[in-house]
Amino acid sequence: AHRDGGVMMQKGDLYKSKNKVFGNEVDVIVQVMRTYDKRDIDPECPLSVAIIPMVQLVVWSGNQTGRVYSYNRRVFCKQYEKIGEA
């Protein structure tokens, strides 16, 4: 589990979009599949590695139902809010 913006994010948690996503959809429901840290290595300087917190999710409603996406967790937390408790 990871803590982002004061909210614990765990596999199975449900989130709802705060604004329009995927073009023009509102109130899209997504479920967290996993959280992980992605390594971003600078090709100019292989010793420089940034760790980017990521979330992988599956879409449960709207035109993208069933699709799997990965987001930077900071971006995800700006676009989605947790609903209920898993």
Side-chain angles (χ1 to χ4, degrees):
H2 290 277
R3 181 176 294 279
D4 277 298
V7 176
M8 286 299 285
M9 182 181 292
Q10 296 181 348
K11 179 180 178 177
D13 285 349
L14 295 175
Y15 284 77
K16 182 175 78 171
S17 60
K18 297 181 193 176
N19 305 302
K20 291 180 180 178
V21 293
F22 305 128
N24 205 26
E25 296 187 55
V26 294
D27 295 334
V28 173
I29 306 298
V30 299
Q31 185 174 27
V32 173
M33 294 176 67
R34 69 184 182 118
T35 56
Y36 63 100
D37 293 325
K38 182 173 93 172
R39 293 166 42 152
D40 184 18
I41 301 171
D42 184 343
E44 300 289 318
C45 180
L47 296 178
S48 174
V49 178
I51 303 298
I52 303 171
M54 301 288 291
V55 57
Q56 186 179 55
L57 56 90
V58 61
V59 182
W60 282 106
S61 68
N63 292 333
Q64 302 295 321
T65 298
R67 302 263 326 251
V68 174
Y69 291 95
S70 292
Y71 279 93
N72 176 311
R73 279 204 302 270
R74 188 173 58 231
V75 172
F76 176 80
C77 288
K78 288 180 183 175
Q79 294 181 342
Y80 292 86
E81 62 187 351
K82 192 171 182 177
I83 52 176
E85 293 294 326

